Amino acid sequence: MAPDTLTPTAPTLALTKEDGWLQPYEPVLLARQQRLADRLAVITKEYGSLGKFATAHQRLGLHYDAKRRGYVVREWAPGAERVSLVGDFNFWNREADPLTKNEATGVWELFLPDADGTRRLAPNSRYKLHVVAHGQGKDRLPAYLRRAVQDPHTNDFAAQLWVPEAPFTWTDQTFRVANATKGQPLIYEAHVGMAQEEGRVGTYREFADLILPRIQAEGYNAVQLMAVLEHPYYGSFGYHVANFFAPSSRFGTPEDLKYLVNEAHRRGLVVLLDLVHSHAVKNEAEGLADFDGSGNLYFHKGERGNHPGWDSKLFDYGRPEVQQFLLSNLRYWLEEFHFDGFRFDGITSMLYHHHGEGHAFGGYEDYFGPAADDDAILYLMLASTLVRELKKSALLVAEDMSGLPGLCRPIADGGVGFDYRLGMGLPDFWIKTLKHQRDENWDLGELWHQLTNRRAGEKTVAYAESHDQALVGDKTIAHWLYDAAIYTHMGVLDGDMQAARATALHKLIRLVTIAAGGEAYLAFIGNEFGHPEWVDFPREGNDWSYHFARRQWSLADNPDLRYSQLLAFDKAMLALARERQLLVKGPAQLLNIDYGNKVLAFARAGLVFVFSFNVSESFADYGIPVPAAGRYRLVLQSDRSEFGGFNRLDESVVYDTLGGGGTAEAPRLNLYLPNRVVLVLARQ
């Protein structure tokens, strides 16, 4: 809708009251709110509530009926001509167990009584559905299956009836998200399979027992788990999901995943699920594509159902059954596995018909014009509403590169209801800078702009790099900085100047990002200590090797290597953030940018941060304006030898301000400022 077609009125939404440029688009925001209200009214009338609507997983799929004493299987496939249940229990006989169709709902159903011993489903039975459409039959995996397992010889996936010997016993009843994060999530992004040092697939229990203690000790308060939803190709990093209700069996059993989450909660760690509702794998053998032969069902029909860049299928968010499938998926992960929230992947792709492919977002018309996908926006509003209803404390993080205004504001304000957006511009800025700019040419003005250019009232997860920068084809910040020295000059006594530079800048980049970049912080597994290699999963191009799909913790644990020094600084940085509630008390206030000398100073949470990005020059009495007169002490500085620095600063020094105190001159500190160092000072 173009602005000249809108009738200007006095703004009624908090979002448009705060941003005058949004006022011409208030009718669009109000229309989105009304569409949500209308859809909720229909859902409430038909199901009683949104929460009850999101219970399809309790009815569809394979379930045991204790009253009737047998298993019931139900599947939505309105376009199918015939559906039958096949598996090892009936010797994969496609004629033995046909389902019956409810013509009104399109749901097929079959009851298998326990009494029929010749065909009785048993724990660990493998099964599929045989779906016939247009006279052609295909074996398919049920949409709501809870566990899929792969045959090691044929690589074929099948559903598996999983019946644990005893229900899992949760002990996290007193765990509270707010108590864990204190309002500032410090997120550790991790992949269970690649988290071990050995070249193999790690397990949920190994991650719980071996990696969670590291995450806790390092000072993070949240872990974000990638690749949990079942995916046929390990190398997809979990982003081509096939089975949305199945935790990946390559890492262990559902009870193993519950053990991981329960153990995280015992250690005071929030657990976020990296959720992919933006697209799905196109495979028919493992996924949902053309499930009933109609050409759409869960996905848009024709080319609209194909993602132009991801080689995957796109959901039809306007279809009630698809909304129910995805919303039930949210409920399932929250309730069955006690996840504390979600990081929604690929939201930009959902929000716009062009999926953000090759599109530069230059004005508000891009967000509220005809390119916006109203069905997807409605689904996201339903999703945030449901999550709030089920678990008020849950965290919702949006991966959006478009910068949609209101995405991370309450729906009542005119927003979509998420809590945090990922600050995707920051890692792009760092990689671009390291790749194309010499140190002496770094633009501190552009750095400050990237750190602080975010919408007021919408919280951002700041990060210097994530899994995107760690994947093969790109390079981590450590790799850009150290280059070949990351293999040859990492001894703490090694005097290599390139390695010294890299160590210094690695620390500065991380601290300036967390200190000024947002209201939450994220790091990718291993990158906090400068892991020397990228991530490359087993594939044909690397002879199916696990060498780069692991984490070398022994490097960080070795006090003779620089990796341990980077880790020590990361711990100190996080400790400062926690103790000072750094990310809660913001935003950062600029004190000084010295373009020539490459010095940046700002204040946040009662702290003064002074960064010298100077290549070679140190300053004896460098003046920095400060918010208040008084006495200041160093509470953190990056030049300690334990951090790989040169011990050029005396931390016992008390710095008295000059000026202020009723004088016309603003208070300032005169500091000894070595090159490539950050000083953090607090007023006594």
Side-chain angles (χ1 to χ4, degrees):
M1 192 179 295
D4 57 4
T5 67
L6 303 176
T7 303
T9 58
T12 60
L13 298 172
L15 200 60
T16 52
K17 287 178 181 178
E18 296 166 12
D19 183 351
W21 293 99
L22 271 177
Q23 290 182 17
Y25 300 95
E26 183 168 82
V28 180
L29 297 173
L30 291 171
R32 290 176 179 176
Q33 284 186 337
Q34 187 60 51
R35 192 169 186 220
L36 173 65
D38 292 344
R39 182 68 186 121
L40 288 172
V42 171
I43 288 172
T44 302
K45 181 178 179 181
E46 293 182 0
Y47 293 88
S49 69
L50 180 61
K52 291 179 180 178
F53 178 64
T55 57
H57 58 293
Q58 299 173 11
R59 182 175 57 90
L60 295 170
L62 181 65
H63 300 278
Y64 188 76
D65 189 326
K67 290 183 178 179
R68 297 166 67 186
R69 295 191 178 182
Y71 283 95
V72 181
V73 60
R74 300 185 184 94
E75 191 74 25
W76 178 56
E81 297 165 4
R82 293 196 308 277
V83 179
S84 60
L85 184 67
V86 298
D88 50 21
F89 70 96
N90 67 5
F91 306 102
W92 302 95
N93 185 340
R94 296 186 177 95
E95 307 298 328
D97 293 294
L99 281 67
T100 301
K101 183 181 182 181
N102 182 320
E103 295 293 342
T105 63
V107 174
W108 297 76
E109 182 173 333
L110 169 67
F111 177 68
L112 288 176
D114 289 346
D116 191 348
T118 61
R119 294 181 295 143
R120 184 179 183 276
L121 278 166
N124 299 322
S125 290
R126 299 193 180 201
Y127 65 95
K128 296 186 181 185
L129 293 173
H130 186 68
V131 181
V132 178
H134 310 296
Q136 300 293 318
K138 296 180 180 179
D139 291 344
R140 305 299 300 262
L141 299 188
Y144 288 83
L145 67 85
R146 302 292 182 91
R147 179 169 168 82
V149 293
Q150 188 175 26
D151 186 296
H153 304 293
T154 66
N155 293 325
D156 181 53
F157 277 87
Q160 184 183 57
L161 175 58
W162 181 251
V163 183
E165 294 181 3
F168 183 81
T169 302
W170 292 94
T171 62
D172 63 350
Q173 290 79 9
T174 61
F175 178 79
R176 298 292 182 270
V177 171
N179 292 341
T181 66
K182 301 293 192 297
Q184 53 175 13
L186 304 171
I187 304 169
Y188 198 81
E189 183 184 40
H191 184 288
V192 168
M194 56 161 280
Q196 302 305 313
E197 187 143 1
E198 296 176 54
R200 58 176 175 80
V201 178
T203 69
Y204 295 123
R205 285 188 176 265
E206 287 175 325
F207 190 92
D209 294 340
L210 302 176
I211 309 305
L212 287 180
R214 288 182 175 274
I215 297 171
Q216 179 188 23
E218 289 183 24
Y220 294 89
N221 57 36
V223 57
Q224 181 175 295
L225 293 181
M226 306 174 64
V228 171
L229 281 66
E230 190 62 89
H231 45 291
Y233 179 44
Y234 188 46
S236 75
F237 227 150
Y239 288 115
H240 277 193
V241 175
N243 315 114
F244 285 80
F245 291 83
S248 181
S249 61
R250 56 174 58 88
F251 309 135
T253 70
E255 277 60 47
D256 293 337
L257 176 57
K258 292 175 183 179
Y259 174 82
L260 189 166
V261 176
N262 192 68
E263 179 66 11
H265 287 167
R266 187 183 72 80
R267 293 182 174 277
L269 297 171
V270 166
V271 190
L272 303 178
L273 178 64
D274 195 350
L275 187 77
V276 185
H277 279 186
S278 50
H279 64 130
V281 72
K282 70 176 184 180
N283 305 26
E284 292 187 7
E286 297 89 7
L288 300 171
D290 197 24
F291 190 88
D292 67 345
S294 62
N296 56 340
L297 199 65
Y298 290 97
F299 310 112
H300 286 293
K301 200 165 190 174
E303 277 307 303
R304 190 181 175 192
N306 299 320
H307 195 287
W310 295 348
D311 194 30
S312 55
K313 301 299 294 183
L314 295 170
F315 286 105
D316 182 352
Y317 300 106
R319 193 164 190 173
E321 295 87 352
V322 176
Q323 293 175 358
Q324 188 173 41
F325 174 81
L326 295 173
L327 292 171
S328 299
N329 193 235
L330 294 174
R331 179 163 197 159
Y332 171 73
W333 292 109
L334 287 173
E335 295 184 340
E336 185 71 18
F337 293 95
H338 291 205
F339 279 98
D340 300 303
F342 304 99
R343 179 263 199 192
F344 272 67
D345 176 71
I347 280 188
T348 306
S349 175
M350 299 171 68
L351 291 172
Y352 311 99
H353 294 296
H354 52 63
H355 311 298
E357 294 278 306
H359 189 87
F361 292 87
Y364 282 0
E365 171 65 14
D366 293 326
Y367 305 120
F368 305 109
D373 188 329
D374 291 332
D375 289 343
I377 293 167
L378 172 62
Y379 165 66
L380 291 172
M381 295 171 78
L382 286 167
S384 65
T385 302
L386 174 70
V387 171
R388 295 281 171 262
E389 179 181 310
L390 297 176
K391 192 168 187 174
K392 189 175 182 181
S393 64
L395 300 178
L396 294 176
V397 179
E399 187 206 31
D400 170 44
M401 56 163 287
S402 75
L404 173 66
L407 179 62
C408 299
R409 290 288 294 269
I411 290 172
D413 290 357
V416 181
F418 281 74
D419 296 303
Y420 296 88
R421 72 167 77 241
L422 289 172
M424 301 178 71
L426 286 172
D428 290 344
F429 167 80
W430 284 123
I431 296 300
K432 190 182 301 182
T433 298
L434 294 173
K435 188 176 182 179
H436 298 294
Q437 294 286 337
R438 294 172 59 88
D439 296 7
E440 53 266 37
N441 295 330
W442 282 19
D443 186 341
L444 297 191
E446 176 62 17
L447 168 59
W448 182 251
H449 173 76
Q450 290 294 337
L451 289 167
T452 59
N453 181 31
R454 54 188 187 271
R455 293 189 62 83
E458 297 197 46
K459 293 181 287 189
T460 295
V461 178
Y463 61 107
E465 55 186 339
S466 69
H467 69 272
D468 286 325
Q469 289 72 40
L471 287 170
V472 68
D474 207 330
K475 291 169 68 174
T476 65
I477 285 177
H479 227 149
W480 280 113
L481 289 170
Y482 287 99
D483 199 36
I486 206 166
Y487 299 111
T488 57
H489 293 289
M490 295 303 286
V492 297
L493 300 180
D494 191 310
D496 182 76
M497 293 308 296
Q498 179 181 347
R501 163 194 174 265
T503 300
L505 288 178
H506 196 273
K507 294 176 290 184
L508 268 60
I509 286 171
R510 274 167 162 68
L511 185 53
V512 78
T513 298
I514 191 174
E519 292 71 37
Y521 179 72
L522 177 142
F524 178 66
I525 180 171
N527 284 8
E528 75 277 12
F529 64 81
H531 197 279
E533 291 169 341
W534 52 82
V535 179
D536 189 14
F537 283 90
R539 56 186 174 86
E540 187 176 4
N542 64 15
D543 293 325
W544 304 103
S545 170
Y546 286 90
H547 181 74
F548 295 107
R550 62 193 181 104
R551 294 287 89 172
Q552 299 180 62
W553 305 106
S554 58
L555 299 175
D557 294 340
N558 188 338
D560 296 329
L561 297 178
R562 292 181 187 271
Y563 303 106
S564 66
Q565 298 173 330
L566 296 179
L567 180 60
F569 182 78
D570 200 68
K571 288 181 178 180
M573 178 182 80
L574 295 179
L576 179 75
R578 291 194 314 274
E579 292 164 7
R580 299 284 177 163
Q581 283 284 280
L582 176 61
L583 305 183
V584 175
K585 301 173 182 177
Q589 297 178 322
L590 182 65
L591 299 176
N592 183 58
I593 295 184
D594 184 339
Y595 295 94
N597 291 315
K598 296 290 183 272
V599 176
L600 172 68
F602 57 86
R604 188 176 188 184
L607 300 173
V608 173
F609 296 83
V610 184
F611 289 83
S612 172
F613 291 96
N614 197 288
V615 173
S616 58
E617 189 175 359
S618 298
F619 304 99
D621 287 297
Y622 194 93
I624 294 291
V626 292
R631 312 192 83 194
Y632 287 76
R633 280 188 182 274
L634 284 169
V635 292
L636 179 65
Q637 55 95 0
S638 63
D639 204 41
R640 292 181 192 168
S641 58
E642 66 191 271
F643 302 150
F646 299 98
N647 279 334
R648 290 170 288 179
L649 290 161
D650 183 352
E651 295 191 33
S652 67
V653 172
V654 176
Y655 299 90
D656 290 298
T657 54
L658 302 173
T663 70
E665 187 180 2
R668 73 179 189 279
L669 293 173
N670 280 2
L671 305 171
Y672 170 50
L673 187 59
N675 69 308
R676 289 192 179 125
V677 163
V678 55
L679 283 65
V680 186
L681 302 106
R683 187 164 163 261
Q684 290 184 317

